[in-house]
Amino acid sequence: MQLKGRHLLNSTDFSVEELYSIIELAQKIAKKPEDYSEKCKGRIMAALFYEPSTRTRLSFEAAMKRLGGDVIGFPEMSTSSESKGESIADTVRIVACYSDIIVMRHHVPFVPHKISEHIRVPFINAGDGSNQHPTQTLADIFTIYKYKKKLSNLKIGFCGDLKYGRTVHSLIKTMDRYENNIFECISPDCLKIPDDLRREIKSPLRERECLEDVLGELDILYMTRIQKERFEDLDEYERIKGYYILTKEKMENAKEDAMILHPLPRVDEIHESVDDDPRAYYFKQARAGMYMRMSLILHLLGLN
Ligand code: NCD
């Protein structure tokens, strides 16, 4: 028996209604976290990270612990039995015997999708290569909804590495489900959004190279890091790094109520002088991510 619908593998797995209810619950949790501090008592989350992660892993750990649950797992591949030759499928099946919910990150696209087919406890994709990062999207939409009070009628600029940036792939598909959004995809030619993904998008989508040309029109600017680890040719990365740097000076042309988002970590694409600007929301976004993950865990465990 496959418990379809109880996994989160792609950012569009949940219906729009379900997403709203996850946001609503996250709002309640953020308001009164003490009411939820025992909800997951006696439950165990396994965090299996086959690719390095700081934010996502700690955010999930903090989320489960704040719900009163426990966490087992490993933060990198070398500490798992993979290094002894065990298949990932076997490792995860075993882990599923010990835990109530599994979170997995893997550097190869679709590995979590394949593995999850054999797993009966709720299974969450915490990032699969350059493909998807659905829980970052939950953090992103919670932040947008909290501060903009809507997820529609927005002009959103995605800037940086749109080719390998899985957070962009997940978020653009999700925002495409809401009415009247317009997407400005800002990247160098070699880091354009993949063709198949662009073809799936129904909302108006423009591609351009220059951030300054459009910055003043954006309601949201989603900056991203150029994903060095995904380049086959590091010379190409060297040529392209530092291509976009958002500075305090450039922010003078942004809308007064613009929102600057970034999934983090940043390298140099947002200068530190922007951090004090009230339009910089990226640290708030990280906090929102933890509440959204708490809400997600409760939702998938049927404890909401
Ligand atoms: C992102 C990721 O892992 O894709 N980070 C995160 O989870 N917050 C973005 C990135 O690494 O650039």
Side-chain angles (χ1 to χ4, degrees):
M1 182 190 62
Q2 205 181 327
L3 288 174
K4 258 209 141 207
R6 298 199 58 205
H7 296 337
L8 176 61
L9 299 167
N10 304 299
S11 64
T12 48
D13 284 356
F14 291 136
S15 67
V16 165
E17 291 73 30
E18 252 178 318
L19 280 182
Y20 273 122
S21 75
I22 295 170
I23 290 176
E24 260 172 31
L25 179 57
Q27 266 169 337
K28 284 190 199 154
I29 298 171
K31 226 180 214 164
K32 235 171 159 231
E34 61 276 18
D35 283 1
Y36 298 85
S37 62
E38 305 230 317
K39 282 266 184 190
C40 281
K41 208 166 171 209
R43 311 273 176 150
I44 291 181
M45 182 185 87
L48 312 180
F49 280 77
Y50 288 90
E51 185 188 63
S53 163
T54 309
R55 267 143 297 271
T56 306
R57 185 171 57 83
L58 293 181
S59 172
F60 264 114
E61 283 199 27
M64 191 55 172
K65 289 187 174 168
R66 281 173 185 266
L67 291 168
D70 246 311
V71 183
I72 57 170
F74 47 84
E76 52 182 307
M77 194 157 150
S78 60
T79 48
S80 80
S81 280
E82 277 286 278
S83 52
K84 294 188 198 165
E86 187 183 50
S87 77
I88 299 182
D90 279 2
T91 305
V92 181
R93 273 186 168 173
I94 297 299
V95 167
C97 302
Y98 307 148
S99 56
D100 303 288
I101 186 163
I102 298 178
V103 180
M104 179 192 216
R105 170 172 284 195
H106 202 277
H107 48 93
V108 179
F110 298 105
V111 166
H113 301 67
K114 287 187 199 119
I115 300 290
S116 68
E117 285 171 19
H118 311 285
I119 302 300
R120 283 155 198 219
V121 298
F123 191 97
I124 301 170
N125 174 9
D128 60 320
S130 58
N131 181 38
Q132 283 263 317
H133 194 342
T135 66
Q136 180 60 47
T137 296
L138 294 181
D140 302 339
I141 63 168
F142 184 38
T143 313
I144 297 171
Y145 191 74
K146 184 167 179 201
Y147 297 102
K148 288 270 178 209
K149 311 274 177 253
K150 60 180 182 183
L151 292 168
S152 51
N153 295 302
L154 294 164
K155 192 174 232 193
I156 307 168
F158 293 96
C159 180
D161 189 343
L162 312 188
K163 179 179 178 187
Y164 299 116
R166 57 191 172 196
T167 61
V168 171
H169 303 165
S170 288
L171 182 59
I172 195 166
K173 279 179 145 186
T174 298
M175 295 311 286
D176 191 37
R177 300 163 103 191
Y178 299 93
E179 273 172 29
N180 295 326
N181 287 330
I182 297 176
F183 304 132
E184 295 284 352
C185 292
I186 309 148
S187 72
D189 198 51
C190 61
L191 295 179
K192 278 163 83 168
I193 193 156
D195 285 342
D196 50 345
L197 173 55
R198 197 190 52 234
R199 280 193 289 268
E200 273 181 53
I201 303 298
K202 294 177 291 305
S203 314
L205 182 156
R206 269 177 239 131
E207 295 183 285
R208 57 173 83 233
E209 233 178 285
C210 181
L211 172 61
E212 286 82 342
D213 283 353
V214 75
L215 181 58
E217 297 170 23
L218 300 175
D219 299 305
I220 295 169
L221 172 60
Y222 195 86
M223 288 299 284
T224 61
R225 172 180 73 88
I226 300 199
Q227 310 275 300
K228 181 179 180 185
E229 67 279 25
R230 312 253 181 250
F231 280 68
E232 274 165 26
D233 175 4
L234 273 184
D235 289 343
E236 196 180 358
Y237 170 76
E238 289 299 326
R239 274 196 299 280
I240 223 79
K241 72 172 190 201
Y243 204 84
Y244 297 107
I245 300 181
L246 185 66
T247 58
K248 205 176 165 158
E249 292 69 43
K250 289 183 192 166
M251 283 302 291
E252 284 169 20
N253 297 317
K255 276 186 164 182
E256 238 171 72
D257 62 348
M259 182 177 225
I260 310 299
L261 296 177
H262 191 306
L264 302 177
R266 77 174 139 187
V267 180
D268 55 5
E269 56 280 354
I270 302 183
H271 191 266
E272 281 171 19
S273 61
V274 179
D275 296 356
D276 295 330
D277 190 307
R279 294 167 292 181
Y281 282 87
Y282 28 93
F283 294 114
K284 292 190 176 106
Q285 192 182 348
R287 181 97 181 152
M290 183 185 69
Y291 289 127
M292 247 343 222
R293 289 185 175 101
M294 290 171 80
S295 178
L296 172 68
I297 292 169
L298 293 178
H299 184 81
L300 291 176
L301 289 175
L303 299 169
N304 45 337

